[in-house]
PDB file of all heavy atoms in Angstrom:
ATOM      1  N   THR A   1      83.501 153.175  51.486  1.00  0.00           N
ATOM      2  CA  THR A   1      82.498 153.694  52.399  1.00  0.00           C
ATOM      3  C   THR A   1      81.724 154.819  51.744  1.00  0.00           C
ATOM      4  O   THR A   1      82.028 155.257  50.640  1.00  0.00           O
ATOM      5  CB  THR A   1      83.163 154.189  53.704  1.00  0.00           C
ATOM      6  OG1 THR A   1      82.156 154.519  54.650  1.00  0.00           O
ATOM      7  CG2 THR A   1      84.024 155.409  53.442  1.00  0.00           C
ATOM      8  N   SER A   2      80.714 155.279  52.437  1.00  0.00           N
ATOM      9  CA  SER A   2      80.018 156.510  52.070  1.00  0.00           C
ATOM     10  C   SER A   2      79.827 157.306  53.350  1.00  0.00           C
ATOM     11  O   SER A   2      79.943 156.770  54.456  1.00  0.00           O
ATOM     12  CB  SER A   2      78.666 156.212  51.409  1.00  0.00           C
ATOM     13  OG  SER A   2      77.733 155.745  52.363  1.00  0.00           O
ATOM     14  N   LEU A   3      79.544 158.580  53.210  1.00  0.00           N
ATOM     15  CA  LEU A   3      79.258 159.421  54.359  1.00  0.00           C
ATOM     16  C   LEU A   3      77.747 159.500  54.536  1.00  0.00           C
ATOM     17  O   LEU A   3      76.997 159.456  53.563  1.00  0.00           O
ATOM     18  CB  LEU A   3      79.841 160.823  54.152  1.00  0.00           C
ATOM     19  CG  LEU A   3      81.345 160.893  53.891  1.00  0.00           C
ATOM     20  CD1 LEU A   3      81.781 162.344  53.712  1.00  0.00           C
ATOM     21  CD2 LEU A   3      82.131 160.250  55.023  1.00  0.00           C
ATOM     22  N   ALA A   4      77.297 159.628  55.774  1.00  0.00           N
ATOM     23  CA  ALA A   4      75.866 159.631  56.069  1.00  0.00           C
ATOM     24  C   ALA A   4      75.267 160.996  55.748  1.00  0.00           C
ATOM     25  O   ALA A   4      74.803 161.733  56.621  1.00  0.00           O
ATOM     26  CB  ALA A   4      75.624 159.256  57.525  1.00  0.00           C
ATOM     27  N   ILE A   5      75.323 161.315  54.452  1.00  0.00           N
ATOM     28  CA  ILE A   5      74.751 162.548  53.910  1.00  0.00           C
ATOM     29  C   ILE A   5      73.665 162.139  52.926  1.00  0.00           C
ATOM     30  O   ILE A   5      73.922 161.357  52.010  1.00  0.00           O
ATOM     31  CB  ILE A   5      75.829 163.392  53.203  1.00  0.00           C
ATOM     32  CG1 ILE A   5      76.888 163.849  54.216  1.00  0.00           C
ATOM     33  CG2 ILE A   5      75.208 164.582  52.491  1.00  0.00           C
ATOM     34  CD1 ILE A   5      78.064 164.588  53.586  1.00  0.00           C
ATOM     35  N   GLN A   6      72.445 162.647  53.104  1.00  0.00           N
ATOM     36  CA  GLN A   6      71.307 162.207  52.299  1.00  0.00           C
ATOM     37  C   GLN A   6      70.524 163.422  51.803  1.00  0.00           C
ATOM     38  O   GLN A   6      69.681 163.967  52.518  1.00  0.00           O
ATOM     39  CB  GLN A   6      70.416 161.272  53.125  1.00  0.00           C
ATOM     40  CG  GLN A   6      71.163 160.045  53.637  1.00  0.00           C
ATOM     41  CD  GLN A   6      70.333 159.184  54.565  1.00  0.00           C
ATOM     42  OE1 GLN A   6      69.227 159.533  54.951  1.00  0.00           O
ATOM     43  NE2 GLN A   6      70.875 158.027  54.928  1.00  0.00           N
ATOM     44  N   PRO A   7      70.811 163.883  50.579  1.00  0.00           N
ATOM     45  CA  PRO A   7      70.148 165.092  50.066  1.00  0.00           C
ATOM     46  C   PRO A   7      68.664 164.892  49.802  1.00  0.00           C
ATOM     47  O   PRO A   7      68.223 163.798  49.443  1.00  0.00           O
ATOM     48  CB  PRO A   7      70.905 165.375  48.765  1.00  0.00           C
ATOM     49  CG  PRO A   7      71.490 164.063  48.363  1.00  0.00           C
ATOM     50  CD  PRO A   7      71.801 163.342  49.643  1.00  0.00           C
ATOM     51  N   LEU A   8      67.904 165.962  49.989  1.00  0.00           N
ATOM     52  CA  LEU A   8      66.488 165.982  49.670  1.00  0.00           C
ATOM     53  C   LEU A   8      66.330 166.717  48.344  1.00  0.00           C
ATOM     54  O   LEU A   8      66.691 167.900  48.239  1.00  0.00           O
ATOM     55  CB  LEU A   8      65.699 166.688  50.767  1.00  0.00           C
ATOM     56  CG  LEU A   8      64.176 166.683  50.615  1.00  0.00           C
ATOM     57  CD1 LEU A   8      63.634 165.275  50.788  1.00  0.00           C
ATOM     58  CD2 LEU A   8      63.527 167.628  51.628  1.00  0.00           C
ATOM     59  N   VAL A   9      65.820 166.022  47.329  1.00  0.00           N
ATOM     60  CA  VAL A   9      65.763 166.592  45.989  1.00  0.00           C
ATOM     61  C   VAL A   9      64.354 166.506  45.423  1.00  0.00           C
ATOM     62  O   VAL A   9      63.533 165.712  45.860  1.00  0.00           O
ATOM     63  CB  VAL A   9      66.754 165.889  45.026  1.00  0.00           C
ATOM     64  CG1 VAL A   9      68.165 165.941  45.582  1.00  0.00           C
ATOM     65  CG2 VAL A   9      66.341 164.440  44.787  1.00  0.00           C
ATOM     66  N   ARG A  10      64.087 167.329  44.433  1.00  0.00           N
ATOM     67  CA  ARG A  10      62.815 167.319  43.716  1.00  0.00           C
ATOM     68  C   ARG A  10      63.102 167.118  42.233  1.00  0.00           C
ATOM     69  O   ARG A  10      64.021 167.710  41.688  1.00  0.00           O
ATOM     70  CB  ARG A  10      62.072 168.632  43.927  1.00  0.00           C
ATOM     71  CG  ARG A  10      60.793 168.768  43.111  1.00  0.00           C
ATOM     72  CD  ARG A  10      60.156 170.119  43.330  1.00  0.00           C
ATOM     73  NE  ARG A  10      59.498 170.193  44.624  1.00  0.00           N
ATOM     74  CZ  ARG A  10      59.556 171.240  45.444  1.00  0.00           C
ATOM     75  NH1 ARG A  10      60.281 172.286  45.110  1.00  0.00           N
ATOM     76  NH2 ARG A  10      58.918 171.224  46.597  1.00  0.00           N
ATOM     77  N   GLY A  11      62.329 166.224  41.591  1.00  0.00           N
ATOM     78  CA  GLY A  11      62.489 166.065  40.156  1.00  0.00           C
ATOM     79  C   GLY A  11      62.894 164.683  39.721  1.00  0.00           C
ATOM     80  O   GLY A  11      63.219 164.459  38.561  1.00  0.00           O
ATOM     81  N   ILE A  12      62.918 163.708  40.651  1.00  0.00           N
ATOM     82  CA  ILE A  12      63.237 162.335  40.297  1.00  0.00           C
ATOM     83  C   ILE A  12      62.185 161.425  40.897  1.00  0.00           C
ATOM     84  O   ILE A  12      61.457 161.814  41.805  1.00  0.00           O
ATOM     85  CB  ILE A  12      64.639 161.906  40.777  1.00  0.00           C
ATOM     86  CG1 ILE A  12      64.749 162.039  42.301  1.00  0.00           C
ATOM     87  CG2 ILE A  12      65.713 162.712  40.097  1.00  0.00           C
ATOM     88  CD1 ILE A  12      66.069 161.599  42.830  1.00  0.00           C
ATOM     89  N   THR A  13      62.099 160.219  40.387  1.00  0.00           N
ATOM     90  CA  THR A  13      61.084 159.272  40.842  1.00  0.00           C
ATOM     91  C   THR A  13      61.734 158.005  41.346  1.00  0.00           C
ATOM     92  O   THR A  13      62.490 157.359  40.611  1.00  0.00           O
ATOM     93  CB  THR A  13      60.121 158.917  39.702  1.00  0.00           C
ATOM     94  OG1 THR A  13      59.535 160.123  39.208  1.00  0.00           O
ATOM     95  CG2 THR A  13      59.011 158.015  40.206  1.00  0.00           C
ATOM     96  N   GLY A  14      61.437 157.629  42.585  1.00  0.00           N
ATOM     97  CA  GLY A  14      61.887 156.347  43.131  1.00  0.00           C
ATOM     98  C   GLY A  14      63.385 156.166  43.068  1.00  0.00           C
ATOM     99  O   GLY A  14      64.165 157.107  43.157  1.00  0.00           O
ATOM    100  N   ASN A  15      63.819 154.905  42.858  1.00  0.00           N
ATOM    101  CA  ASN A  15      65.242 154.576  42.857  1.00  0.00           C
ATOM    102  C   ASN A  15      65.847 154.596  41.468  1.00  0.00           C
ATOM    103  O   ASN A  15      66.948 154.104  41.261  1.00  0.00           O
ATOM    104  CB  ASN A  15      65.453 153.194  43.482  1.00  0.00           C
ATOM    105  CG  ASN A  15      65.137 153.199  44.963  1.00  0.00           C
ATOM    106  OD1 ASN A  15      65.431 154.168  45.649  1.00  0.00           O
ATOM    107  ND2 ASN A  15      64.523 152.143  45.447  1.00  0.00           N
ATOM    108  N   ASN A  16      65.139 155.180  40.485  1.00  0.00           N
ATOM    109  CA  ASN A  16      65.677 155.241  39.134  1.00  0.00           C
ATOM    110  C   ASN A  16      66.585 156.438  38.939  1.00  0.00           C
ATOM    111  O   ASN A  16      66.973 156.755  37.827  1.00  0.00           O
ATOM    112  CB  ASN A  16      64.531 155.308  38.111  1.00  0.00           C
ATOM    113  CG  ASN A  16      63.699 154.044  38.124  1.00  0.00           C
ATOM    114  OD1 ASN A  16      64.233 152.962  38.287  1.00  0.00           O
ATOM    115  ND2 ASN A  16      62.391 154.183  37.973  1.00  0.00           N
ATOM    116  N   ALA A  17      66.919 157.126  40.058  1.00  0.00           N
ATOM    117  CA  ALA A  17      67.683 158.358  39.926  1.00  0.00           C
ATOM    118  C   ALA A  17      69.146 158.115  39.606  1.00  0.00           C
ATOM    119  O   ALA A  17      69.761 158.866  38.870  1.00  0.00           O
ATOM    120  CB  ALA A  17      67.592 159.159  41.226  1.00  0.00           C
ATOM    121  N   ALA A  18      69.734 157.094  40.180  1.00  0.00           N
ATOM    122  CA  ALA A  18      71.177 156.910  40.059  1.00  0.00           C
ATOM    123  C   ALA A  18      71.565 156.469  38.660  1.00  0.00           C
ATOM    124  O   ALA A  18      71.068 155.495  38.138  1.00  0.00           O
ATOM    125  CB  ALA A  18      71.663 155.876  41.076  1.00  0.00           C
ATOM    126  N   GLU A  19      72.484 157.210  38.070  1.00  0.00           N
ATOM    127  CA  GLU A  19      72.953 156.856  36.742  1.00  0.00           C
ATOM    128  C   GLU A  19      73.650 155.503  36.782  1.00  0.00           C
ATOM    129  O   GLU A  19      73.625 154.739  35.825  1.00  0.00           O
ATOM    130  CB  GLU A  19      73.905 157.935  36.235  1.00  0.00           C
ATOM    131  CG  GLU A  19      74.345 157.753  34.802  1.00  0.00           C
ATOM    132  CD  GLU A  19      75.220 158.891  34.335  1.00  0.00           C
ATOM    133  OE1 GLU A  19      76.240 159.134  34.989  1.00  0.00           O
ATOM    134  OE2 GLU A  19      74.883 159.532  33.326  1.00  0.00           O
ATOM    135  N   ASN A  20      74.273 155.196  37.927  1.00  0.00           N
ATOM    136  CA  ASN A  20      74.991 153.929  38.047  1.00  0.00           C
ATOM    137  C   ASN A  20      74.063 152.731  37.890  1.00  0.00           C
ATOM    138  O   ASN A  20      74.503 151.644  37.537  1.00  0.00           O
ATOM    139  CB  ASN A  20      75.690 153.852  39.417  1.00  0.00           C
ATOM    140  CG  ASN A  20      76.802 154.869  39.511  1.00  0.00           C
ATOM    141  OD1 ASN A  20      77.301 155.344  38.505  1.00  0.00           O
ATOM    142  ND2 ASN A  20      77.177 155.222  40.720  1.00  0.00           N
ATOM    143  N   ASN A  21      72.752 152.900  38.160  1.00  0.00           N
ATOM    144  CA  ASN A  21      71.829 151.781  38.024  1.00  0.00           C
ATOM    145  C   ASN A  21      71.667 151.345  36.572  1.00  0.00           C
ATOM    146  O   ASN A  21      71.259 150.237  36.284  1.00  0.00           O
ATOM    147  CB  ASN A  21      70.456 152.171  38.590  1.00  0.00           C
ATOM    148  CG  ASN A  21      70.494 152.284  40.099  1.00  0.00           C
ATOM    149  OD1 ASN A  21      71.422 151.822  40.733  1.00  0.00           O
ATOM    150  ND2 ASN A  21      69.477 152.904  40.665  1.00  0.00           N
ATOM    151  N   ASP A  22      71.943 152.264  35.616  1.00  0.00           N
ATOM    152  CA  ASP A  22      71.793 151.953  34.204  1.00  0.00           C
ATOM    153  C   ASP A  22      73.008 151.191  33.669  1.00  0.00           C
ATOM    154  O   ASP A  22      72.951 150.570  32.617  1.00  0.00           O
ATOM    155  CB  ASP A  22      71.619 153.230  33.386  1.00  0.00           C
ATOM    156  CG  ASP A  22      70.295 153.916  33.713  1.00  0.00           C
ATOM    157  OD1 ASP A  22      69.380 153.242  34.206  1.00  0.00           O
ATOM    158  OD2 ASP A  22      70.220 155.122  33.479  1.00  0.00           O
ATOM    159  N   CYS A  23      74.119 151.294  34.351  1.00  0.00           N
ATOM    160  CA  CYS A  23      75.363 150.673  33.897  1.00  0.00           C
ATOM    161  C   CYS A  23      75.691 149.487  34.806  1.00  0.00           C
ATOM    162  O   CYS A  23      75.621 149.596  36.021  1.00  0.00           O
ATOM    163  CB  CYS A  23      76.492 151.694  33.917  1.00  0.00           C
ATOM    164  SG  CYS A  23      78.027 151.099  33.180  1.00  0.00           S
ATOM    165  N   PRO A  24      76.054 148.333  34.229  1.00  0.00           N
ATOM    166  CA  PRO A  24      76.242 147.130  35.046  1.00  0.00           C
ATOM    167  C   PRO A  24      77.620 147.019  35.677  1.00  0.00           C
ATOM    168  O   PRO A  24      77.964 145.974  36.210  1.00  0.00           O
ATOM    169  CB  PRO A  24      76.020 146.006  34.030  1.00  0.00           C
ATOM    170  CG  PRO A  24      76.544 146.575  32.747  1.00  0.00           C
ATOM    171  CD  PRO A  24      76.179 148.036  32.791  1.00  0.00           C
ATOM    172  N   LEU A  25      78.454 148.049  35.602  1.00  0.00           N
ATOM    173  CA  LEU A  25      79.796 147.928  36.152  1.00  0.00           C
ATOM    174  C   LEU A  25      80.307 149.274  36.637  1.00  0.00           C
ATOM    175  O   LEU A  25      79.778 150.318  36.288  1.00  0.00           O
ATOM    176  CB  LEU A  25      80.756 147.369  35.097  1.00  0.00           C
ATOM    177  CG  LEU A  25      81.224 148.314  33.970  1.00  0.00           C
ATOM    178  CD1 LEU A  25      82.444 147.747  33.288  1.00  0.00           C
ATOM    179  CD2 LEU A  25      80.130 148.544  32.946  1.00  0.00           C
ATOM    180  N   PHE A  26      81.358 149.224  37.471  1.00  0.00           N
ATOM    181  CA  PHE A  26      82.065 150.436  37.861  1.00  0.00           C
ATOM    182  C   PHE A  26      83.545 150.113  38.013  1.00  0.00           C
ATOM    183  O   PHE A  26      83.947 148.947  38.075  1.00  0.00           O
ATOM    184  CB  PHE A  26      81.501 151.037  39.156  1.00  0.00           C
ATOM    185  CG  PHE A  26      81.650 150.167  40.372  1.00  0.00           C
ATOM    186  CD1 PHE A  26      82.793 150.201  41.148  1.00  0.00           C
ATOM    187  CD2 PHE A  26      80.621 149.312  40.761  1.00  0.00           C
ATOM    188  CE1 PHE A  26      82.922 149.401  42.276  1.00  0.00           C
ATOM    189  CE2 PHE A  26      80.736 148.516  41.887  1.00  0.00           C
ATOM    190  CZ  PHE A  26      81.891 148.563  42.642  1.00  0.00           C
ATOM    191  N   PHE A  27      84.373 151.147  38.068  1.00  0.00           N
ATOM    192  CA  PHE A  27      85.820 150.981  38.124  1.00  0.00           C
ATOM    193  C   PHE A  27      86.347 151.456  39.458  1.00  0.00           C
ATOM    194  O   PHE A  27      86.067 152.575  39.890  1.00  0.00           O
ATOM    195  CB  PHE A  27      86.484 151.771  36.992  1.00  0.00           C
ATOM    196  CG  PHE A  27      87.988 151.648  36.960  1.00  0.00           C
ATOM    197  CD1 PHE A  27      88.593 150.416  36.715  1.00  0.00           C
ATOM    198  CD2 PHE A  27      88.797 152.746  37.167  1.00  0.00           C
ATOM    199  CE1 PHE A  27      89.969 150.298  36.674  1.00  0.00           C
ATOM    200  CE2 PHE A  27      90.178 152.636  37.119  1.00  0.00           C
ATOM    201  CZ  PHE A  27      90.765 151.408  36.876  1.00  0.00           C
ATOM    202  N   ASP A  28      87.089 150.590  40.155  1.00  0.00           N
ATOM    203  CA  ASP A  28      87.729 150.926  41.423  1.00  0.00           C
ATOM    204  C   ASP A  28      89.160 151.356  41.114  1.00  0.00           C
ATOM    205  O   ASP A  28      90.032 150.530  40.851  1.00  0.00           O
ATOM    206  CB  ASP A  28      87.719 149.708  42.349  1.00  0.00           C
ATOM    207  CG  ASP A  28      88.315 150.014  43.713  1.00  0.00           C
ATOM    208  OD1 ASP A  28      88.882 151.107  43.882  1.00  0.00           O
ATOM    209  OD2 ASP A  28      88.222 149.165  44.605  1.00  0.00           O
TER     210      ASP A  28
END
């Protein structure tokens, strides 16, 4: 799950902010 917390930030563009988008996998 995630918590319904949504920060307002300055200095990023669109949905390219998440580092996870650059990597095709994650570890559970």
Side-chain angles (χ1 to χ4, degrees):
T1 188
S2 72
L3 303 180
I5 296 175
Q6 302 174 353
L8 185 68
V9 304
R10 174 183 285 138
I12 59 178
T13 303
N15 292 322
N16 295 323
E19 186 177 56
N20 293 339
N21 289 345
D22 293 338
C23 187
L25 75 163
F26 64 87
F27 181 64
D28 183 351

